[in-house]
Amino acid sequence: MHQFLQQIFSGLAAGAIYASLALALVMIYRATDLVNFAQGEMAMFSTYIAWTLVNAEVPFWGAFLITLVVSFVGGMLIERVVIRPVENAPVLAAVVVTIGLLLIFNSTAGWIYSYTVQDFPSPFPDRPLFGALMTTRDLGVIAVTLAMLILLFVFFRFTATGLAMRAAAQNPDSARLCGIRVGRMLAIGWGLAAAIGATAGIMVAPVLFLDPNMMGGVLIYAFAGALLGGITSPVGAVVGGLIVGVTENLVGTYLIASQLKLTVAFALIILVLVFRPNGLFGTAIVRRV
Amino acid sequence: MERPLPAPAGLAADRYAGLSLAAWQKFGTLALIVLAAVLPFALSRYHVFELTMVMIYAIAVLGLNILTGYNGQISLGHGGFFAAGAYTAAILMHHYGVPYWATLPPAAVICFALGVLFGLPALRFEGPYLALVTLAMALATPQLLKYFDTWTGGQQGINLVKPMPPPALVELGLDRDRWLYYVAFVALLIAIRVAANLLHGRTGRALIAIRDQPIAAAAMGIHTARYKTLAFGTSTLFTGVAGALAAIVIGYVSPEGYSLFLSVSFLVGSAIGGIATIGGAIVGGLFIQFVPNLANDISDAAPWAIYGLAMLLFMYAMPRGVVGSLGPLIARLTQRIRAG
Amino acid sequence: MQREDIVSLLRMLVGGLAALSFGFASVLAFAGDQYGPGASDTEIKIGNTMPYSGPASGYGAIGKSLAAYFAMINEQGGVNGRKINFISRDDGYSPPKTVEQVRKLVEEDQVLLLFQTLGTPPNLAIRGYLNDNKVPQLFVGSGADQWNDPKHYPWTMGWQPSYGTESRIYARYILKNLPDARIAVLYQNDDFGKDYVNGLRAGLEDKAGKMIVATQSYETTDPTVDSQIVALHGSGADVLLTAAIPKFTTLAIRKVYDIGWRPTHFINSVSTSVGSVMKPAGIEKAVGIISGAFNKDPTDPQWQDTTEYAEWLAWMKKYNPSGNVADTLTVYGYATAQTMVAVFKASGNDLTRDNVMRQAASIRGLKLPMLLPGITISTSAEDYAPIKQMQLQKLDGTNWKVFGEVMTGSGN
């Protein structure tokens, strides 16, 4: 029983990591209808920027804020410069572009910072909780993820910019007719996603340790979690991420040998999607004739 | 092939230097084939080996083109089918002593069956959801290969003996590399012929209808599910045969050679060549084989950044791929010349 | 004797001597500098593949160290007056790519030999080709047991003690000191990890089934190993072997401590760096860990006053500035490069593939500065395992303390 609880709590801790990146994925999908495969690498790169600042004796929260701003601006620039040219091109062209971005960020990080694993400081102390089921650090990750979720929810529902962004994504032409600067909304969407990614990276680096390949595995699970929850739903992203984390742990321990864990976990996720093809909380993609 | 040769300038008639456009096309294709046939005798063994790999990747990308281009389904998992073909060949050769050329038909059949099997559930999914399902296939492949190690050799992989050419041809100066070049070459020609027949005929039109207007197509009586599944199966057949050929040419299979990156490479090659084209598959094969090496020559420190940059530039300049963008461009040019 | 006879005799003698010296001189000229492909009066060209990209790219640090060491040798005048031209290519740890790059190195670049090609599957992919073409595949960068097989693959030689050898050493220690142990194993799901499991089983012999109570694997794409550690703890084991690359060893050490488990913890020799593995995990969480080692950990304070360390550090600063001084991979590269240079020195002016291979198979008791005291390199025509010894060491508060004698694993 104790082991069962431990597996669940470890799963929740890992799931929160996936959920935080999944939020960024959902953000970009809602804003621009694209899956950004480079999201993980962008988050990793932002984390390296924070790491450089911390090493230069900048206090943690200062480094965090600077990194957020830099990531936001960077995300906007990437949307304007890199993504804009393929926005009206076939979807596959945009997919290839995001994959290209992934390679560029990963390779450049490896070149600048080498592939040695680095330490990263955490704002949360590392104390055990609930009798060694979890640490305060894991709880911190969960708390920050939930906080981002709430902020996003509020943003989309209750602010003018959020509303404008939703309009621009759903129906760009009508939105333009209403005076919404669609281009700017897209850029802001990417900027916000980059900032979310940066937060995710900074929260996660103390747990996973910082190296250029830190986010590779996380992206795959975050992608699965985001789709499981519904690619258009931030709540879905968080729930999906947590479910993926827990499922993966339970499958590996109770269902099948750990060597097939990844395979079986994905098979289960796909099974769920067979019954709910748009994810648990997603809205159906309606095709009009 | 859909790429017409540019007409000599100044002639406004339908005949160019005495031949029709169609005749020029046939002549050009024949010239290319002859050129490709004599190349092995002009190049070093290593370059022959490289070109053999280009042709093999072209067959694999052609398979992906059938699915993505003509059916609108994005697959991140074709590396898995490539592996399936490779291991079919390796297991048959290693455990059962089957000669190398006899492993190609079983590889084709098995990969077709796998494709139909995966095509059925994949039908339910669209866009990013389909990407996830195929991604799962790509990720599961190395794990499954490592797990069933009595057959697959697990991590150690399987070493294969590189086949010798038939004794009669050795007299003509064919060594192992040249022989395998011709084997791959013939396979590529057959693949192109089959794909062209398939896609320029009724099946192709049905697939394009399903891709562009699925509801209308269903309303017209096209059995959407059947065609989509068949498209998946045919696509994996091609990629599987390519995998079998690759195993024979390289002489070794192991799970590390069939990672997610291979699937991504196929997708990238497909997009850069032009997803709904046949010629684009060859461009894709060239891209996959040569651009990483070129990137390495340009930058020692961050070669994959150069590769990523190359991907970006190609997509900006030619969002429909090289053949996909150049084809219509050349057609327009010839039309303009024809109009005077 | 008549005078004419003496003159004839003298003439015969002079002629004979002349003929002899002529013959001798031509034999000398013939037995002078001999070159295989890639070797000449001025350079020795050698080839290498490394994963500079992809998930295994951490090992690229070895390739950079090799290049840096050869750069230093070249600046000091080279080996026997020849500069070493070290060509290293990226294979991304993908065997098909390794085959392609190695063929290019052999057929286009015409290198003399392949040196420190990294990874078990990549090396398995090229072994047949290199042996068929009689190209030395020297000091392979992998700890699999297969590189010590001169009967079937006379051109392929390993360098480090194999993973199987290492885990057999752990097995012997456990049988002797912890005979009632219940053992759990965390291993990377590939050849590297599985070799450790198999070696442990072989070392425990008939007790293996009873003593090994749980095994859990992980993939390099897994973000954490928390679930596996929890499951292993649940098996009730009191001994843990972690056969993992550095990052995952760090994760394991931390999780083991955090859930309150205090097993006798063995970690493998690849992941022993105090600076890059123990400190990130929290060194207080790693106290008492046992490992095997054959080279010195550069972050271990006990070596930092020695001249060998000072020399190594000076080399790092001048020739390998992008390398991390806490990274044991740089020490590994340093030591393997020194071995290669020693073989070239012994080859003298006969730089054919045959002779270089012969010299590589005739090393006697070579001592290297960054190997642990008591560990030397030896090979013979029947023994292609240059390093067969390891030393057990235990982590106290700040660094490794060796204990016991140098052990020899009986692998393969």
Side-chain angles (χ1 to χ4, degrees), chain A residues 111-249:
Chain A
W111 170 47
I112 300 178
Y113 299 105
S114 93
Y115 288 94
T116 323
V117 173
Q118 308 285 4
D119 227 345
F120 195 90
S122 172
F124 308 112
D126 192 18
R127 278 196 297 275
L129 274 183
F130 310 140
L133 279 180
M134 199 174 243
T135 66
T136 46
R137 191 171 288 176
D138 298 327
L139 199 62
V141 176
I142 295 179
V144 169
T145 306
L146 287 176
M148 284 200 291
L149 172 63
I150 294 174
L151 281 173
L152 264 186
F153 187 77
V154 165
F155 173 75
F156 274 124
R157 261 302 190 86
F158 298 114
T159 66
T161 321
L163 185 62
M165 203 179 289
R166 279 159 62 202
Q170 258 178 4
N171 202 332
D173 295 322
S174 302
R176 278 197 192 93
L177 290 172
C178 290
I180 294 175
R181 304 265 298 270
V182 170
R184 182 183 290 181
M185 289 301 119
L186 297 176
I188 292 180
W190 270 73
L192 279 178
I196 295 173
T199 313
I202 292 176
M203 288 305 121
V204 151
V207 180
L208 299 185
F209 300 108
L210 181 61
D211 76 321
N213 293 320
M214 170 175 86
M215 283 300 201
V218 176
L219 179 72
I220 293 172
Y221 286 110
F223 185 50
L227 287 173
L228 180 65
I231 190 75
T232 50
S233 159
V235 172
V238 174
V239 173
L242 291 172
I243 292 179
V244 167
V246 174
T247 307
E248 198 213 345
N249 278 12

Side-chain angles (χ1 to χ4, degrees), chain A residues 29 35 37 81-83 85-86 89-93 95-97 99-101 103-104 107-108 111 220 223-224 227-228 230-231 257-264 266 269-270 273-275 277-279 285 287-289, chain B residues 68 74 76 121 124-126 128-129 131-137 139-141 143-144 147-148 211-212 214-216 260-261 264 267-268 270-272 275 301-309 311-312 315-316 319-320:
Chain A
Y29 193 84
V35 175
F37 288 107
V81 173
V82 176
I83 306 294
V86 287
V91 166
L92 189 57
V95 168
V96 170
V97 164
I99 294 176
L101 267 181
L103 291 172
I104 291 176
S107 188
T108 311
W111 170 47
I220 293 172
F223 185 50
L227 287 173
L228 180 65
I231 190 75
S258 51
Q259 295 125 306
L260 284 181
K261 187 170 76 157
L262 184 62
T263 307
V264 174
F266 266 80
I269 293 170
I270 291 169
L273 287 175
V274 165
F275 292 106
N278 289 305
I285 302 172
R287 279 250 210 124
R288 300 229 147 77
V289 180
Chain B
T68 313
I74 287 191
L76 279 174
R124 288 190 131 255
F125 300 107
E126 304 256 341
Y129 293 94
L132 178 69
V133 174
T134 53
L135 176 70
M137 285 183 225
L139 292 171
T141 302
Q143 273 215 328
L144 291 168
Y147 190 72
F148 294 105
R211 177 192 74 192
D212 292 336
I215 299 172
L260 179 60
F261 188 71
V264 171
L267 191 69
V268 169
S270 172
I272 291 197
I275 53 175
W304 291 104
I306 306 288
Y307 185 75
L309 198 61
M311 284 163 64
L312 257 56
M315 284 295 103
Y316 293 157
R320 296 196 127 68

Side-chain angles (χ1 to χ4, degrees), chain C residues 288-307:
Chain C
I289 286 185
I290 300 176
S291 180
F294 57 95
N295 58 16
K296 297 176 183 166
D297 174 2
T299 59
D300 195 329
Q302 70 183 299
W303 306 120
Q304 287 178 346
D305 279 328
T306 59
T307 33

Side-chain angles (χ1 to χ4, degrees), chain B residues 105-332:
Chain B
V109 168
I110 289 180
C111 291
F112 179 79
L114 281 174
V116 167
L117 203 66
F118 284 106
L120 281 169
L123 289 175
R124 288 190 131 255
F125 300 107
E126 304 256 341
Y129 293 94
L130 180 61
L132 178 69
V133 174
T134 53
L135 176 70
M137 285 183 225
L139 292 171
T141 302
Q143 273 215 328
L144 291 168
L145 288 173
K146 285 188 272 193
Y147 190 72
F148 294 105
D149 52 5
T150 29
W151 289 109
T152 65
Q155 276 70 248
Q156 307 288 333
I158 302 178
N159 271 107
L160 300 168
V161 178
K162 216 160 155 170
M164 291 292 291
L169 294 174
V170 178
E171 311 292 315
L172 289 175
L174 271 174
D175 59 18
R176 290 198 256 202
D177 289 305
R178 287 185 184 145
W179 170 242
L180 288 173
Y181 174 95
Y182 287 119
V183 170
F185 185 51
V186 168
L188 179 63
L189 288 177
I190 296 176
I192 291 176
R193 188 85 198 148
V194 169
N197 280 346
L198 202 67
L199 298 168
H200 294 156
R202 201 158 148 239
T203 321
R205 290 199 293 275
L207 290 176
I208 292 177
I210 295 173
R211 177 192 74 192
D212 292 336
Q213 298 288 357
I215 299 172
M220 274 174 59
I222 297 177
H223 201 299
T224 317
R226 187 194 301 163
Y227 275 105
K228 271 187 153 178
T229 316
L230 273 177
F232 216 109
T234 315
S235 138
T236 54
L237 188 157
F238 276 67
T239 308
V241 169
L245 282 169
I248 295 168
V249 170
I250 297 196
Y252 178 74
V253 293
S254 84
E256 271 79 8
Y258 306 103
S259 63
L260 179 60
F261 188 71
L262 183 66
S263 296
V264 171
S265 295
F266 288 152
L267 191 69
V268 169
S270 172
I272 291 197
I275 53 175
T277 66
I278 293 178
I282 299 178
V283 174
L286 286 165
F287 189 89
I288 294 175
Q289 177 62 27
F290 289 121
V291 174
N293 295 342
L294 282 173
N296 223 311
D297 289 336
I298 294 178
S299 162
D300 219 291
W304 291 104
I306 306 288
Y307 185 75
L309 198 61
M311 284 163 64
L312 257 56
L313 293 173
F314 267 88
M315 284 295 103
Y316 293 157
M318 294 177 275
R320 296 196 127 68
V322 170
V323 175
S325 300
L326 284 184
L329 190 69
I330 292 173
R332 266 181 305 190

